[in-house]
Amino acid sequence: MWHKLRDKAQYLDYWLLIPYVILCAIGALMVYSASSDLMSIHGAKPDAYFTKQLIYIGLGFVLLLFSFFLKLNLLRKPKFLIGVTAVILLALFYLLVLSRIRPDAAINGATAWINLGPFSIQPAEFAKLLIVLYLANMLSKRE
């Protein structure tokens, strides 16, 4: 794997990677500075949210590496786009139904989250990514 990573590193866009790393570091620092006092007041560890943020940043880097090795032809296949669209539409429909059946399932007053135990996801964010993929696919066909 390291051999492939070294070979693909020449194609890496450092003008995108460096701001990403800087924003991750600033975001983790802001989470710590905003939550440490509150956590101390409530008797919890002051770095609990900071640690959770670092875990999410680590997962983000793993996904970044995964997407770096992903073949772009997969993202252009109609079956892939239709499958992802179906999953996202089902998740959005689930939220629509859930918000009417269980209004108490709201997180901080928002019913746009699906609770998956230790973390929650917001399908609208995946829908935004799908729109970018779909438009990129459509515009690449116009050439």
Side-chain angles (χ1 to χ4, degrees):
M1 176 179 163
W2 294 111
H3 186 276
K4 283 185 179 181
L5 185 62
R6 190 177 63 232
D7 290 343
K8 286 199 104 175
Q10 64 184 349
Y11 301 113
L12 191 60
D13 190 355
Y14 291 102
W15 290 105
L16 288 175
L17 182 65
I18 292 170
Y20 175 73
V21 171
I22 291 171
L23 286 173
C24 286
I26 291 172
L29 184 65
M30 292 296 118
V31 165
Y32 179 73
S33 68
S35 65
S36 62
D37 283 343
L38 184 64
M39 296 299 281
S40 294
I41 291 170
H42 291 353
K45 291 178 22 179
D47 63 344
Y49 284 129
F50 178 70
T51 305
K52 189 185 274 191
Q53 185 72 15
L54 289 179
I55 290 170
Y56 291 144
I57 289 172
L59 287 173
F61 277 114
V62 169
L63 288 173
L64 177 84
L65 281 175
F66 174 75
S67 66
F68 191 60
F69 287 111
L70 189 68
K71 295 190 182 213
L72 294 179
N73 290 335
L74 172 71
L75 299 176
R76 298 182 72 180
K77 290 186 178 181
K79 286 183 181 180
F80 176 78
L81 288 173
I82 290 170
V84 171
T85 302
V87 169
I88 291 174
L89 287 176
L90 283 172
L92 291 170
F93 182 70
Y94 171 77
L95 284 177
L96 181 67
V97 171
L98 181 69
S99 66
R100 297 190 193 273
I101 294 173
R102 290 189 50 212
D104 61 321
I107 298 175
N108 293 332
T111 57
W113 293 85
I114 296 176
N115 190 1
L116 298 175
F119 63 93
S120 301
I121 62 170
Q122 194 172 19
E125 297 302 320
F126 293 102
K128 292 176 191 176
L129 181 60
L130 177 67
I131 290 170
V132 170
L133 285 174
Y134 179 76
L135 289 175
N137 188 27
M138 295 304 293
L139 291 174
S140 69
K141 288 180 180 179
R142 293 184 77 190
E143 291 179 0

